[in-house]
Amino acid sequence: MTVEPGAEFALIGAHFAGLGAAREDVLLGVGDDCALLRVPPGQSLAVSLDTLVAGVHFFPDCDPHALGHKTLAVSLSDLAAMGAEPAWATLALTLPASDPAWLAAFAAGLGELARAHGVRLVGGDTTRGPLTITLQLQGLVPPESALRRDGARAGDRIWVSGTLGDAALALAELQAGRDPDAALRARLERPTPRVALGRALRGVASAAIDLSDGLVADLGHVLAASGVGAELQLGALPLGEAVATRADWSLALAGGDDYELCFCAPPGRDGEILALGQRLGCRLTPVGIIRGDGDALRCLLPDGTELNPTRKGYDHFAGA
Amino acid sequence: MTVEPGAEFALIGAHFAGLGAAREDVLLGVGDDCALLRVPPGQSLAVSLDTLVAGVHFFPDCDPHALGHKTLAVSLSDLAAMGAEPAWATLALTLPASDPAWLAAFAAGLGELARAHGVRLVGGDTTRGPLTITLQLQGLVPPESALRRDGARAGDRIWVSGTLGDAALALAELQAGRDPDAALRARLERPTPRVALGRALRGVASAAIDLSDGLVADLGHVLAASGVGAELQLGALPLGEAVATRADWSLALAGGDDYELCFCAPPGRDGEILALGQRLGCRLTPVGIIRGDGDALRCLLPDGTELNPTRKGYDHFAGA
């Protein structure tokens, strides 16, 4: 229990004051006991908080600009999965020491993505300790059009955005001491949160979740919340070239960190969804169907046989 | 970069789901990508985030029930200083390992204080790593009656609640290997946030701040934000018996962690403030006056001489 190096850490705080987009609904930002924010009538507040720990969620020596980007991207992805419009962030940064170059790069990476999504950093806390980053992002969504996990119904089609397994492959390459190519590495280190897609799916999708833990685990949360089962067509999964050549289903099914969206919608919305994907320049692929007869998730191989008979069977992917 | 022990940590999450008071304005709590919260019209959202790091802000072996209490108390104190009504919390808990007894006690300490203040835990993230706790608390306050730091005016009286320096003395005792008596120790480990006082000071106080870093540092923030100076009468400072017998001004002036409120108000409000203190059972003491002639904080000893000539002069307290 030591005294904080006050002046030094106050300086660090100054790095983050005013980061991100200017917003008129910030009545009071960094520099008082609380930030004061105006929530417009008709909107509910959507709140998500995520922690990244050095050595657990990222390599301690990773590029701080990319880390700043990813810190916000992870939370933007949660808001996207809710159909919410991002607005305000707060940042808790625990640092072993003050490193101005590292901080400047981290702040730049976070700030660029914040500005791109209209997000303002309104407060935070900087402390000394093992490198740990917690960001809370707050956004707005009319409560009746929020995309929840519990709305999937039998007969709904299951969709995913982008491609699956890229981040897991990049991580496997890095862990094996190999250098993944830049595009693949960016999928792990600089994920693209699907904010515009989530927004556009209001009133279209019956349920949504973002893919942070892998398709099987995350779709499993939707099934559990909605009380339904599902059938995935593995042959339909959208795979990037590098992942496709590996012929390893676990990359796409259990690989985390893709930060794509998985959502459900009645088949009658197919045309609308495909058009929406084209308008946003975002690949959207139907990968299966929600079933009402039991809560199991069945994964069908291209030859029609089943990869695993019950949801329990996917547990062996968890450590893959 | 290791894979999270998913099941184990999901279990930890379950410890915190539903913690705190029931609130009708929680449209969606723990268990989706975001929590969804309803902000009533006419209220602005007051947001505060604080991090506690083991070995920096608390002894790693400290009582987990007290730590749970303090985690929330620190943020409640920020909301109190804003005059805001606490509402919703999110918790980021980074733990070296799963320790069910520790977690149960931590959750109980946090939950008891949450219920007492009508706060609901609506989300969070549990990760593995060095023990670090970040809590974000959100509350409500009409924007026009929020207590800010920048409203102090020349002639305002300066008030503090409770007594000063107790937490610093308890810390000094513990660091010296002595065991402070239970009441003194509670002032460090189980601070009482002045939520009802902050709420009652709406429309009365011209500025307010909570005392987390010590009176000189925290009042200094008010002076800087308001562009004014001040004169403190050290003989008027409310000291508990243990602190008074030490005759060490630095305990009350630079000791942090008291979580009392320091606020300013025109002298015309004196009677109202004293009545308010009586109603709340909270000692309120006038300790000085805001001056318009320069931005210095002068500390006057009981004999009328000055303890330090300029605000700069207090820096030597910072490490005390």
Side-chain angles (χ1 to χ4, degrees), chain A residues 242-262:
Chain A
V243 171
T245 57
R246 293 298 180 107
D248 176 357
W249 295 114
S250 73
L251 287 172
L253 290 178
D257 267 0
D258 280 325
Y259 298 104
E260 296 295 345
L261 292 189
C262 171

Side-chain angles (χ1 to χ4, degrees), chain A residues 8 19 35 42 62 75 81 96-97 112 115 165 172 184 190 232 235 239 265 297:
Chain A
E8 176 191 331
L19 209 69
C62 84
S75 295
E112 282 165 27
R115 280 192 300 281
L184 196 66
R190 294 179 187 273
L232 278 183
L239 306 179
L297 172 56

Side-chain angles (χ1 to χ4, degrees), chain B residues 204-227:
Chain B
V204 177
S206 57
I209 194 166
D210 73 318
L211 298 177
S212 53
D213 296 330
L215 180 59
V216 166
D218 290 320
L219 177 57
H221 294 313
V222 170
L223 301 183
S226 301

Side-chain angles (χ1 to χ4, degrees), chain B residues 46 51 54 71 75 82 86 97 104 109 137 147 154 174 207 250 255 309:
Chain B
T51 296
T71 294
S75 295
M82 213 75 203
L137 184 61
L147 308 177
L174 286 170
S250 73

Side-chain angles (χ1 to χ4, degrees), chain A residues 42-84:
Chain A
Q43 302 278 342
S44 67
L45 184 71
V47 168
S48 171
L49 171 144
D50 284 285
T51 297
L52 300 177
V53 181
V56 177
H57 301 94
F58 59 90
F59 295 105
D61 63 349
C62 84
D63 172 13
H65 190 282
L67 185 60
H69 173 103
K70 187 161 179 173
T71 295
L72 182 57
V74 165
S75 295
L76 284 168
S77 181
D78 278 323
L79 264 70
M82 214 75 201

Side-chain angles (χ1 to χ4, degrees), chain B residues 120-171:
Chain B
R120 178 74 165 192
L121 191 72
V122 295
D125 194 9
T126 313
T127 52
R128 188 166 52 178
L131 183 54
T132 309
I133 307 163
T134 295
L135 188 132
Q136 171 146 334
L137 184 61
Q138 300 172 100
L140 301 168
V141 59
E144 66 283 2
S145 53
L147 308 177
R148 303 164 56 135
R149 295 182 179 178
D150 59 4
R153 297 291 170 259
D156 281 357
R157 212 181 289 293
I158 302 166
W159 296 78
V160 294
S161 65
T163 56
L164 303 182
D166 302 319
L169 180 55
L171 177 58

